[in-house]
């Protein structure tokens, strides 16, 4: 034994390195899983290593400012700077090719809108509520006017961390916005005082009956117990994976999440593609009406758009019966997700502008566009993009990934692995520990306020008081060399129906205005 130990002790440090390399080389040669490392022992590993750090290298050193997707460096930088209340301007003029295909122009007025001394925006430069009240057309008991036209889109506790959800909820409370729960049910982290839109999909998490279907009893109890729930959203589909139910990888299912959702720890949760509570459009309308009657809350649907036949059926039923959803959230094919197959994320459902214009035009032709609150989501969290969306008929926008970035997401694009380095989309306690909730909630609120302030300024530049006044003819889009650039009404073949609007003061005084916490805080 002593001789062996003496022999090992006499091996020089470089000798040990050679031994380790020899062992790895032997392992490479005799393994049969990886062809490259079998055929090129040792050096083959360099290829795998470079491949794994490639995205980071490209992001930090190679990609230019406008190159990356889903969000390029300029877009991310604008969100980070706005959230930190830092200088979010750029110097020396735009670095975008403003003659490029699909580039958007907002037609400014000769003289901007003038804000009078006693105008709500004189006191609060970011006061920008929704111009429509959700639920008044269908006479719901508790109508709701979102106090912010930008809000947090559906992202569940499970796909996001507890600390991220808590930061978002406290952030919307400061900003007077609402927080959509996403599919995972209402968690304690959603209950810090911000307005909440309770969202559920085919898994019915939070309102799930024993047989896995929908429980009206649980829905009623949930709403009674949590008066901060201001509206309910039934998910039909989302842009990143229409026709596929929600996916929560087992790695993200902790005992707490399992308890909230009523599922098993560590096992993938795949919600079915179809709802158990209804199987066709008339049944869906009945389902919506039953929930609205039982809870008194406005009820809407969220979907990505493709074929229009069933939407037309819905519109016809709405015209005939006066019943139906109070709001429709249209998600674009470019929308994000915690986890989806690339073939779905890349190809199934239309991009936001195409999907929304198809749907809005159809509802408008049936005379319904004024009775529905339209919400848009799909990379709309930038003021100029929002101006385009409002000109097309949107009343509010929801943001998911932009909200994540405001609280520290670095677009690592590994939400599906539970290894999110920013602690936002992971259940790892260690990774979440880096999130400072008071700081991050302030950042979300600051991003929303900066967004609203810049959006109001763009609106004023176009000569309007509120973005609901934007018309499609106010926005132009570059087409191709023959047509050069055309107004949106000519491109998408409709003009938005005018939204009734009698000044910002009326919105301020509205008894259904949400975000009361914000007002209370200001008046305290
Ligand atoms: C991490 C993550 C989780 C999401 N979870 C849900 C969900 O539970 N239900 C849903 O309808 N949409 C979900 N979405 C989609 C978003 O709500 C939103 O519709 C989409 O990302 C487009 O908005 P964005 O471009 O601002 O990210 C999720 C998105 C992300 C990034």
């Amino acid at each position: 034994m002593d001789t062996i130990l003496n022999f090992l002790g006499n091996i020089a440090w470089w000798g040990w390195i050679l031994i380790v390399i020899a062992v790895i080389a032997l392992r490479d040669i005799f393994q049969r899983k990886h062809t490259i490392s079998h055929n090129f022992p040792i050096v083959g590993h360099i290829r795998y290593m470079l491949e794994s750090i490639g995205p980071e290298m490209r992001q930090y050193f190679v990609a230019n400012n406008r190159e990356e997707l889903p969000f390029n460096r300029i877009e991310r930088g604008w969100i980070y700077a706005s959230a930190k209340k830092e200088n979010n301007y750029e110097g020396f003029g735009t670095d975008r090719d403003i003659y490029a295909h699909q580039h958007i122009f907002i037609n400014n007025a000769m003289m901007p809108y003038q804000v009078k001394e006693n105008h709500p925006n004189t006191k609060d430069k970011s006061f920008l509520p929704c111009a429509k009240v959700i639920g008044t057309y269908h006479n719901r008991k508790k109508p709701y006017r979102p106090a912010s036209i930008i809000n947090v889109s559906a992202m569940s506790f499970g796909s996001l961390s507890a600390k991220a959800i808590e930061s978002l909820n406290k952030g919307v409370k400061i900003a007077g916005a609402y927080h959509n729960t996403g599919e995972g049910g209402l968690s304690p982290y959603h209950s810090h005082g911000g307005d909440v839109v309770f969202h559920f999909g085919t898994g019915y998490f939070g309102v799930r009956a024993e047989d896995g279907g929908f429980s009206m009893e649980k829905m009623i109890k949930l709403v009674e117990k949590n008066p901060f729930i201001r509206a309910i959203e039934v998910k039909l589909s989302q842009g990143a994976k229409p026709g596929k139910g929600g996916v929560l990888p087992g790695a993200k299912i902790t005992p707490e999440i399992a308890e909230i959702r009523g599922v098993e720890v560590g096992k993938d949760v795949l919600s079915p593609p179809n709802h158990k509570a209804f199987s066709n459009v008339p049944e869906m309308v009945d389902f919506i009406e039953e929930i609205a009657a039982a809870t008194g809350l406005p009820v809407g649907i969220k979907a990505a758009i493709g074929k229009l036949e069933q939407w037309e059926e819905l519109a016809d039923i709405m015209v005939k019966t006066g019943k139906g959803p109070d709001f429709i959230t249209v998600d674009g094919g470019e929308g994000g997700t915690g986890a989806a197959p690339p073939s779905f994320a890349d190809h199934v459902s239309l991009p936001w502008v195409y999907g929304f214009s198809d749907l809005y035009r159809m509802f408008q032709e049936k005379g319904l566009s004024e009775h529905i609150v339209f919400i848009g989501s799909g990379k709309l969290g930038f003021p100029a993009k929002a101006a385009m969306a409002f000109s097309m008929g949107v009343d509010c926008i929801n943001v998911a990934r932009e909200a994540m970035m405001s609280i520290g997401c670095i677009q690592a694009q590994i939400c599906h692995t539970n290894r999110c380095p920013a602690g936002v989309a992971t259940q790892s306690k260690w990774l979440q520990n880096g999130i400072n909730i008071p700081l991050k909630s302030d950042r979300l609120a600051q991003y929303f306020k900066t967004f609203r302030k810049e959006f109001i300024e763009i609106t004023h530049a176009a000569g309007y008081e509120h973005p609901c006044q934007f018309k499609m003819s106010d926005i132009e889009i570059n087409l191709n060399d023959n047509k050069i650039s055309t107004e949106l009404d000519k491109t998408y073949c409709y003009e938005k129906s005018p939204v009734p609007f009698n000044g910002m003061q009326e919105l301020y005084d509205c008894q259904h205005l949400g975000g009361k916490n914000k007002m209370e805080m200001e008046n305290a």
Side-chain angles (χ1 to χ4, degrees):
M1 188 66 184
D2 281 353
T3 343
I4 296 172
L5 287 177
N6 275 343
F7 172 71
L8 292 177
N10 286 334
I11 299 175
W13 62 268
W14 51 266
W16 283 112
I17 294 176
L18 288 178
I19 291 169
V20 171
I21 291 175
V23 171
I24 297 174
L26 284 173
R27 200 209 63 154
D28 285 351
I29 291 164
F30 289 107
Q31 61 80 35
R32 280 283 177 270
K33 257 172 89 187
H34 305 288
T35 314
I36 297 291
S37 45
H38 170 270
N39 294 350
F40 303 92
I42 307 293
V43 280
H45 288 276
I46 298 172
R47 183 199 169 271
Y48 293 119
M49 199 192 77
L50 290 178
E51 192 183 32
S52 73
I53 58 169
E56 285 81 0
M57 292 293 122
R58 286 192 291 278
Q59 184 179 43
Y60 291 123
F61 302 117
V62 182
N64 73 36
N65 284 346
R66 297 277 185 191
E67 200 171 51
E68 292 163 281
L69 287 167
F71 297 91
N72 63 46
R73 195 176 292 141
I74 296 276
E75 290 169 329
R76 296 199 305 274
W78 182 80
I79 293 175
Y80 296 142
S82 302
K84 292 178 190 161
K85 217 178 173 181
E86 285 173 357
N87 183 347
N88 64 359
Y89 284 24
E90 64 184 26
F92 213 65
T94 182
D95 64 352
R96 286 189 79 157
D97 175 7
I98 63 169
Y99 293 95
H101 180 57
Q102 292 276 337
H103 190 81
I104 293 162
F105 308 95
I106 300 161
N107 285 323
N108 57 302
M110 186 184 172
M111 290 179 204
Y113 174 83
Q114 211 172 1
V115 183
K116 299 267 155 47
E117 215 174 277
N118 55 355
H119 190 278
N121 287 135
T122 312
K123 192 175 162 212
D124 180 353
K125 295 203 171 355
S126 69
F127 177 74
L128 190 52
C130 179
K132 287 186 189 159
V133 180
I134 309 178
T136 38
Y137 179 68
H138 292 121
N139 291 321
R140 307 299 185 208
K141 274 196 214 106
K142 302 177 207 165
Y144 174 52
R145 185 194 294 277
S148 168
I149 49 86
I150 180 169
N151 298 284
V152 175
S153 196
M155 289 183 286
S156 61
F157 168 48
S159 90
L160 297 194
S161 67
K163 286 204 171 186
I165 296 281
E166 191 172 329
S167 305
L168 294 176
N169 194 266
K170 290 183 169 166
V172 297
K173 179 177 169 181
I174 303 168
Y178 66 70
H179 185 183
N180 187 311
T181 58
E183 280 191 77
L186 184 84
S187 72
Y189 312 104
H190 289 104
S191 314
H192 288 276
D195 286 354
V196 163
V197 171
F198 180 75
H199 164 112
F200 64 85
T202 55
Y204 302 113
F205 302 120
V207 286
R208 194 176 160 98
E210 291 287 294
D211 65 353
F214 174 77
S215 162
M216 185 65 86
E217 205 187 312
K218 285 195 180 161
M219 179 91 253
I220 295 169
K221 272 196 192 140
L222 187 85
V223 170
E224 273 172 7
K225 216 175 125 204
N226 302 288
F228 51 81
I229 300 180
R230 306 299 305 263
I232 294 164
E233 184 176 77
V234 184
K235 175 184 169 176
L236 303 178
S237 59
Q238 72 180 91
K241 47 182 175 183
K244 240 187 124 48
V247 181
L248 188 62
K252 286 182 136 182
I253 305 197
T254 61
E256 188 185 22
I257 290 169
E259 160 108 39
I260 292 172
R261 295 198 180 204
V263 295
E264 273 182 60
V265 179
K267 252 186 145 182
D268 288 0
V269 173
L270 308 171
S271 313
N274 287 303
H275 275 271
K276 266 191 168 184
F278 52 88
S279 53
N280 54 40
V281 183
E283 282 175 22
M284 181 183 81
V285 173
D286 290 344
F287 180 63
I288 289 170
E289 289 297 324
E290 281 162 25
I291 299 178
T295 61
L297 292 176
V299 180
I301 50 179
K302 170 175 179 173
I305 311 299
K307 295 183 184 191
L308 287 181
E309 292 85 352
Q310 286 166 324
W311 289 102
E312 193 150 11
E313 191 184 347
L314 171 65
D316 288 337
I317 293 173
M318 289 177 76
V319 171
K320 208 165 127 202
T321 62
K323 296 175 178 168
D326 299 291
F327 64 96
I328 299 179
T329 306
V330 175
D331 200 24
E334 60 271 69
T337 173
S343 46
F344 269 79
D346 294 348
H347 297 290
V348 187
S349 87
L350 294 172
W352 191 84
V353 275
Y354 304 142
F356 183 80
S357 52
D358 280 358
L359 187 83
Y360 185 94
R361 196 173 43 231
M362 204 261 293
F363 274 82
Q364 188 187 45
E365 279 164 14
K366 312 257 178 201
L368 289 166
S369 49
E370 283 132 81
H371 308 321
I372 300 169
V373 172
F374 287 98
I375 302 173
S377 56
K379 294 169 68 170
L380 297 177
F382 304 93
K385 279 270 205 77
M388 177 201 68
F390 270 71
S391 81
M392 293 175 73
V394 144
D395 301 295
C396 264
I397 62 160
N398 282 349
V399 291
R401 290 163 293 177
E402 297 91 320
M404 288 167 74
M405 286 190 268
S406 75
I407 60 165
C409 159
I410 58 166
Q411 192 169 272
Q413 294 174 271
I414 49 172
C415 313
H416 57 295
T417 65
N418 203 31
R419 294 199 312 267
C420 169
V424 174
T426 175
Q427 299 310 316
S428 152
K429 286 264 184 296
W430 169 257
L431 293 168
Q432 284 185 58
N433 267 344
I435 296 188
N436 172 342
I437 294 174
L439 182 80
K440 298 297 182 186
S441 46
D442 263 349
R443 292 219 171 138
L444 183 275
Q446 194 53 54
Y447 160 51
F448 276 12
K449 286 183 193 172
T450 308
F451 174 97
R452 293 193 307 237
K453 180 173 165 286
E454 279 195 22
F455 193 14
I456 291 171
E457 286 165 357
I458 288 182
T459 306
H460 291 173
Y464 298 130
E465 185 182 0
H466 190 285
C468 73
Q469 296 169 294
F470 268 114
K471 298 195 291 289
M472 287 176 90
S473 48
D474 294 319
I475 314 283
E476 291 191 30
I477 188 165
N478 273 343
L479 293 176
N480 51 39
D481 285 346
N482 285 341
K483 291 196 179 160
I484 305 178
S485 92
T486 320
E487 292 89 358
L488 291 187
D489 55 333
K490 300 202 180 82
T491 310
Y492 296 112
C493 305
Y494 73 94
E495 179 52 277
K496 169 184 130 177
S497 314
V499 175
F501 174 69
N502 300 313
M504 205 68 106
Q505 190 64 46
E506 189 178 287
L507 309 190
Y508 190 85
D509 297 333
C510 173
Q511 55 164 325
H512 305 301
L513 187 67
K516 286 281 182 272
N517 299 297
K518 178 182 178 258
M519 300 250 192
E520 278 159 19
M521 275 163 38
E522 275 171 5
N523 297 332

